[in-house]
Amino acid sequence: MEQAFREQSEELELLNRILRHDVRNDLNIILGWAESLEETATGEEEEKLERIRSAGQRAVELTRVARDIAEAISGEEEPELHPVPLDDVLTTEVKNRTAAFDDAAIELH
């Protein structure tokens, strides 16, 4: 039973690594195209490209977080833990969600 669990865990880790790698590659392509379009973009196009770039960068960061979580779960590495000011995290997330959803009314008290 333990051997089967270990094999399944290794297979899931491999799938996770492949998926993260492929997603990051596609995101880097998207971010590269957005950057190349910035040279000729004007007005509203610039704003849309900024949103694309911002969303792409957040998605790349999510692949890093997924890696860290997978490593913590598998026990391969000790997670690097340190205190994080909650107000900074919340402010950043409110900013990101407001940028992603024009019609949203998000308030932070």
Side-chain angles (χ1 to χ4, degrees), residues 6-32:
R6 190 176 307 120
E7 288 174 6
Q8 184 180 27
S9 180
E10 289 171 2
E11 290 171 359
L12 284 172
E13 174 57 29
L14 176 62
L15 176 62
N16 187 1
R17 271 189 307 223
I18 292 169
L19 194 59
R20 283 192 328 262
H21 177 266
D22 290 351
V23 167
R24 258 193 324 267
N25 282 347
D26 287 347
L27 288 167
N28 284 326
I29 291 169
I30 291 167
L31 290 170

Side-chain angles (χ1 to χ4, degrees), residues 23-78:
V23 167
R24 258 193 324 267
N25 282 347
D26 287 347
L27 288 167
N28 284 326
I29 291 169
I30 291 167
L31 290 170
W33 277 107
E35 186 177 319
S36 72
L37 291 172
E38 286 176 352
E39 297 170 10
T40 59
T42 59
E44 188 177 322
E45 293 170 338
E46 289 174 326
E47 183 179 320
K48 289 177 182 178
L49 285 170
E50 173 56 33
R51 292 174 120 185
I52 291 169
R53 189 174 53 255
S54 179
Q57 290 167 342
R58 282 193 311 275
V60 168
E61 179 58 28
L62 284 174
T63 65
R64 290 186 191 111
V65 169
R67 178 200 62 213
D68 293 345
I69 291 171
E71 287 174 356
I73 289 171
S74 70
E76 292 176 11
E77 284 189 28
E78 279 294 314

